[in-house]
Amino acid sequence: MCAKQRHNYKNLKIWKLGLEITNDISDVLLDFPKHERYDLSSQISRSSVSMPSNIAEGSSRTDKSFSHFLDIALGSSFKLGTQLLVAKHRQYLNNKALKKLEDKIEEFQRMTMGFQNSLA
């Protein structure tokens, strides 16, 4: 019996969107106050990087294990959404920037859940 082929993460739309979100976040963080560098900015950055990183790591595993990594990526996306709301409350983000990021995060979540369901 031959081994099941793994997914090439670079070809996955969810990975590409996750990377796009990460890059958008990096751009937004440039305008955050310096005193947030090791607090909220760092947490936001780590959450965004976690999304495509877990997809990449999970793609080398079995589908069952990959699904677990997708759960982690989804969790990071929900955490990122909350952190962005905190940033908006602190007036580090305007409504337009928040909406753009929230829309992309929601698209990432829908696509990732759909992909995850296809693994079952």
Side-chain angles (χ1 to χ4, degrees):
M1 180 161 42
C2 65
K4 186 168 181 168
Q5 183 154 348
R6 306 294 190 222
H7 298 272
N8 182 344
Y9 67 91
K10 291 182 181 177
N11 293 332
L12 296 174
K13 290 179 185 177
I14 56 173
W15 178 81
K16 291 175 184 176
L17 180 56
L19 195 61
E20 183 180 321
I21 291 167
T22 301
N23 291 330
D24 289 349
I25 290 292
S26 181
D27 293 343
V28 166
L29 290 177
L30 294 173
D31 296 329
F32 275 43
K34 299 292 183 224
H35 73 271
E36 288 289 3
R37 180 177 295 138
Y38 301 108
D39 188 22
L40 186 59
S41 294
S42 177
Q43 291 177 4
I44 289 172
S45 178
R46 287 193 317 265
S47 293
S48 70
V49 170
S50 174
M51 294 160 53
S53 297
N54 275 289
I55 292 168
E57 184 175 358
S59 70
S60 70
R61 312 289 177 101
T62 63
D63 283 355
K64 181 178 180 182
S65 184
F66 192 9
S67 183
H68 172 71
F69 281 87
L70 293 174
D71 278 336
I72 296 168
L74 281 168
S76 293
S77 73
F78 283 98
K79 181 172 22 175
L80 176 60
T82 298
Q83 292 163 344
L84 292 173
L85 290 173
V86 171
K88 169 65 174 86
H89 178 77
R90 294 181 184 177
Q91 300 178 343
Y92 304 156
L93 280 178
N94 62 37
N95 286 329
K96 183 178 177 183
L98 177 63
K99 175 78 170 123
K100 179 183 173 192
L101 289 166
E102 284 181 326
D103 288 349
K104 282 188 179 185
I105 292 167
E106 288 172 12
E107 180 182 2
F108 174 85
Q109 291 165 345
R110 280 191 303 276
M111 289 172 60
T112 302
M113 286 184 245
F115 180 72
Q116 191 176 37
N117 289 338
S118 76
L119 295 176

